Amino acid sequence: PLYQGHSNILVGIAFGLEKPATVAIVDGITGKAITYRNVKQLLGKNYTLLNRKRQEKQAQSHQRHKAQKRSGFNEFGDSELGQYIDRLLAKAIVTVAQSHGAASIFVPKLEDIREVIQSEIQARAEEKVPGYLEGQKQYAKRYRVQVHQWSYGRLIESIKSKATQQGLAIEEAKQEVRGSPEEQAREIAISAYHSRLNS
């Protein structure tokens, strides 16, 4: 039989720089979160792959920088590891959604991600170097290199593909720039649910 979820049970996903994906399962009627899942819980024993991907990205960034200094070849291709992690995340998200009887998954709009990432970096810089703008700029620059930006477009496509296969509706919604990843994920689901009711 085809999967049928409850229209009031929603899955909100928030994207971030340090935590590529955070999930909130929300009851749209009460507005309360039923549960949360961070990227470590979603990936389980495969979480080590995320750190390996980050190290790989840092090494590529370093090689690219050295190559640019020598005016050499600096197009280092991306490995399949990122795509594999996206598929694992997509599968885990859909499994969690189905286990809670959700009908819809809400992913952030891709155009909002840059603002969200920038806000996350700025907040972290202000926390680490309070009251010193130049120091904040330098910290933000180093931090951007240290924690690579995920291919969010590819991750969204993986989630859409897996959700569609399993009979879940997938929608895009605005991700807020403030709050913890859990709050942002919950807010995506709730605001999308209310805008759906109003339309």
Side-chain angles (χ1 to χ4, degrees):
L2 288 171
Y3 172 79
Q4 287 253 299
H6 305 285
S7 60
N8 62 303
I9 306 295
L10 320 152
V11 178
I13 303 171
F15 292 154
L17 194 56
E18 200 163 335
K19 297 174 180 175
T22 302
V23 172
I25 310 286
V26 179
D27 183 333
I29 295 168
T30 65
K32 290 196 168 102
I34 297 166
T35 188
Y36 295 103
R37 292 283 188 279
N38 60 34
V39 74
K40 193 170 187 175
Q41 292 166 318
L42 290 167
L43 289 173
K45 65 182 190 322
N46 292 310
Y47 182 68
T48 53
L49 295 176
L50 190 66
N51 291 329
R52 198 165 94 200
K53 177 66 183 159
R54 284 182 170 149
Q55 288 164 353
E56 190 181 272
K57 203 75 172 174
Q58 283 174 6
Q60 278 183 351
S61 179
H62 184 64
Q63 285 176 322
R64 192 176 290 115
H65 180 69
K66 284 195 328 196
Q68 283 172 340
K69 276 186 168 177
R70 319 190 283 272
S71 301
F73 175 77
N74 66 2
E75 290 298 315
F76 298 99
D78 201 13
S79 77
E80 300 296 310
L81 185 58
Q83 199 169 9
Y84 179 64
I85 294 169
D86 285 346
R87 287 186 189 137
L88 290 174
L89 282 170
K91 186 178 178 185
I93 289 165
V94 170
T95 301
V96 168
Q98 287 184 311
S99 70
H100 286 86
S104 302
I105 296 177
F106 296 94
V107 294
K109 289 180 180 167
L110 202 53
E111 58 267 24
D112 297 335
I113 302 295
R114 184 174 289 166
E115 190 186 345
V116 169
I117 298 300
Q118 191 53 46
S119 173
E120 188 180 327
I121 292 170
Q122 189 58 42
R124 201 171 174 93
E126 285 168 10
E127 185 185 294
K128 293 287 181 185
V129 194
Y132 176 47
L133 283 175
E134 194 53 45
Q136 287 174 12
K137 279 182 189 171
Q138 288 169 2
Y139 177 83
K141 190 177 178 181
R142 282 195 311 272
Y143 186 67
R144 258 190 216 97
V145 173
Q146 179 194 341
V147 183
H148 86 279
Q149 199 162 329
W150 204 252
S151 175
Y152 300 103
R154 190 182 62 199
L155 179 54
I156 287 171
E157 287 311 308
S158 293
I159 294 166
K160 282 182 176 176
S161 170
K162 194 70 185 165
T164 307
Q165 278 175 20
Q166 298 300 321
L168 278 113
I170 190 113
E171 298 173 52
E172 290 188 353
K174 182 169 175 57
Q175 180 174 335
E176 295 300 318
V177 294
R178 298 276 171 229
S180 70
E182 289 79 11
E183 289 166 340
Q184 289 174 340
R186 179 181 159 274
E187 198 51 47
I188 280 178
I190 289 170
S191 61
Y193 183 71
H194 288 303
S195 67
R196 186 203 280 170
L197 289 178
N198 294 335
S199 61

